[in-house]
Amino acid sequence: MGELVTGEAVALELRPARLPSRALAVLLDLAVAVAVYVAVTVALVASTSSLDVAAQTALSIATFVLVLVGGPVAVETLSHGRSLGKMACGLRVVRDDGGPIRFRHSLVRGLIGVIEILLTLGVVACVASLVSARGRRLGDVFAGTLVVRERVPFSSAGFMPPPPPWLAGRFSGLDLSAVPDDLWLAVRQYLARVGQLDPRVGWAMAERLAADVAARTGAPVPPEVPPPAFLAAVLQERQAREAWRAFGGAPAGDGAAAASVPSVPMAPAPAAPPRAPVAPPTAPPPATPPGGRPDVPRDVPPDGRSGTGFVPPA
């Protein structure tokens, strides 16, 4: 992977295109240009048959220059470094500092390409691309350009390792609100590239980043926790809190605080006392008349025997 440095001293990681992909792109561009050149030449020959030989020769040279030189230059200028062949192969022409090319870059590449590609059948361009460390041909060297790959295959370089399982939830009580976004960005970039760094350099970067994070949170790094593991755990805690805020629910820190408070067992409610049985309602006693004697039915004799109308014989 090549590294370009811009005018602002920013390192850009780009993949320079190699000879096979560049050769395939050039062949596609030449096939299209030759097809257009042949079609234009046939049309000119049919329409200028009445002209003399000198005029026809001048038209042929003008057609050659316009189609095989001016066409690719115009296409690369208007598409910012992407011709038809480069679009098919996922390539692009950029400046040495990574910026887009302009007309002068495309013109220099096109004029020198006539010599090293058309007149020498691509031999000079192949040798120059093989000798160059970044696969540049002579046109790229004189124009100050570089052909890079836009479609980069997937790699595990951007994979951030998770923290160890024994650190899960350990830093849920940290106050991460004072940590600035640029420091979080530096932590993510370090964790994404930790596998590509030298062990000593990576460890020194982890210690410096962990110290910065600890100074903003107010809690020191535990001595038994390695700095890379501390950074991974703190970053995972921040991502968990952002997910809680995004999808609703209490923050992770509040949940941890609530979980740390012991629950007080509540005594069961006292049982209600048993209710006394209720006697069935009784009819009230008959009321006593004013005379003092209760009402007796007329058909009942004084001795209390019921009158049936039967009289025993004497």
Side-chain angles (χ1 to χ4, degrees), residues 160-276:
M160 288 187 293
W166 52 276
L167 288 179
R170 180 169 180 177
F171 303 104
S172 59
L174 289 181
D175 183 12
L176 305 179
S177 59
V179 182
D181 293 337
D182 55 351
L183 184 55
W184 287 122
L185 179 60
V187 172
R188 284 196 298 266
Q189 291 178 347
Y190 164 75
L191 293 176
R193 301 180 57 185
V194 64
Q196 303 175 357
L197 301 176
D198 181 77
R200 291 178 297 179
V201 175
W203 189 267
M205 292 180 61
E207 289 181 342
R208 185 172 67 254
L209 291 174
D212 294 342
V213 174
R216 301 302 177 93
T217 58
V221 182
E224 71 276 6
V225 179
F230 171 77
L231 295 175
V234 173
L235 182 61
Q236 187 185 57
E237 177 63 28
R238 179 177 184 264
Q239 293 175 348
R241 296 184 185 182
E242 290 180 350
W244 274 100
R245 284 193 293 266
F247 298 103
D254 298 344
S260 61
V261 177
S263 59
V264 179
M266 300 180 61
R275 300 176 61 182

Side-chain angles (χ1 to χ4, degrees), residues 37 41 58-71 114 118-119:
Y37 175 74
T41 302
L59 288 176
S60 299
I61 295 176
T63 303
F64 177 84
V65 174
L66 290 176
V67 175
L68 296 181
V69 179
V114 174
L118 297 180
L119 300 183

Side-chain angles (χ1 to χ4, degrees), residues 94 99 103 110 152 168 174 248 312:
V94 297
F103 173 73
V152 180
L174 289 181

Side-chain angles (χ1 to χ4, degrees), residues 29 69-85 87 101 106:
D29 290 337
V69 179
V73 170
V75 170
E76 282 193 355
T77 304
L78 297 176
S79 62
H80 301 288
R82 299 185 69 189
S83 61
L84 295 178
M87 291 176 62
I101 62 174
S106 299

